[in-house]
Amino acid sequence: MLVNSPDPVIDANLAIALDALLAEHSVTRAAARLHTSPAAMSRTLARLRRILQDPLLVRAGQTMVPTPRAQALRDEAAAVVRSLGALLSPGMGVDPASLSSTFTLQAADLVGAALAPRLLRLAQQEAPGVSFRFRAEELEAGSALRDGRIDLEIGSIDHVDPETQVEELVGLRLVAAVRPGHHLTEEPLTPARLAAAQHVAVSRRGRFTGPLDTALAEQNLRRRVSVVLPSHLAAMTLAARSDIVCLVPAALPGADPSPLTDGATALGLHLLDIPLALPPLTIGMAWHPRHTADGAHRWLRDAVRRTLRTPGSPTTSSDTRET
């Protein structure tokens, strides 16, 4: 009965030592090159001689000269060491112009509408071979990132999978958006006047209530939500064509305008500050850690960061890590 012998253990250090010995023709100089002792290098040479069944270096007067087998191995040993160095070196940055990739991003329609034109312009300037596929918020982001069905999730990140990498991009606030000539624009907005108007709620799950309802309840007020829509863009279009009030994200006071208000601006909507303490809205991006060091994915994250962040936005530790 034949018994399969175990595969031989490959010691990369031997290849490195062999390359140094064949390059230096000296145990002492090879030891200095590899920052080890001559005694240790001498033991390594003895081991190489046993493995290769060749003396490799033999004394000729005051020097050592390579055997024919050693001369034949010299270039191959050097190539192996170069390959090992490339294999075990940190990944190099990529040239965006050389990328030929399709990135799949999952985002709400409002975020996608703000991102798409800016990302396309950026890609045309820096990475013309890149394409983008946007998906609605239809997949469970944690598993979709893990399975590779999406490359990046952008929006309000509400899942806390331990493995998911998350970076906050920008802080926003909610404002009321109404059509030109709406009665809410005629006088200062108060909680009571806001509650008395008709509202549209945006919810993928069909919910009628949200943070505004909680804040109104603290004032013993309740608004009337006339319709619930799954799309921010549809809700803004409805607000532009009726007396419905729509909530949209806007930049924090003192910050430059957010691209997330571009859709409301394009529809001619007026943005009104809400006189209530509403929780801030944070837009971030999430990805699977296997992509953290990937050059192409790093370019994607940086492109999204530059697209969504206004010039005055604060940076985070991720900027320092990835630049």
Side-chain angles (χ1 to χ4, degrees), residues 19 22 29 113 157 172 176 180 189 200 210 251 255 287:
D19 174 54
L22 298 185
R29 289 194 300 271
I157 310 299
L172 302 168
L189 186 61
V200 55
W287 66 93

Side-chain angles (χ1 to χ4, degrees), residues 20-93:
L21 287 164
L22 298 185
E24 300 292 346
H25 295 177
S26 165
V27 169
T28 301
R29 289 194 300 271
R33 177 171 172 173
L34 299 184
H35 306 288
T36 188
S37 68
M41 183 56 68
S42 181
R43 289 193 295 271
T44 301
L45 175 57
R47 185 180 174 191
L48 285 167
R49 284 168 168 168
R50 289 194 302 272
I51 292 173
L52 297 175
Q53 298 183 10
D54 187 274
L56 297 175
L57 294 174
V58 295
R59 187 161 296 281
Q62 298 300 314
T63 63
M64 299 189 78
V65 295
T67 65
R69 177 76 189 281
Q71 290 177 327
L73 289 174
R74 180 173 178 175
D75 290 343
E76 186 176 353
V80 167
V81 171
R82 286 195 300 270
S83 297
L84 283 171
L87 176 65
L88 299 177
S89 296
M92 302 298 291

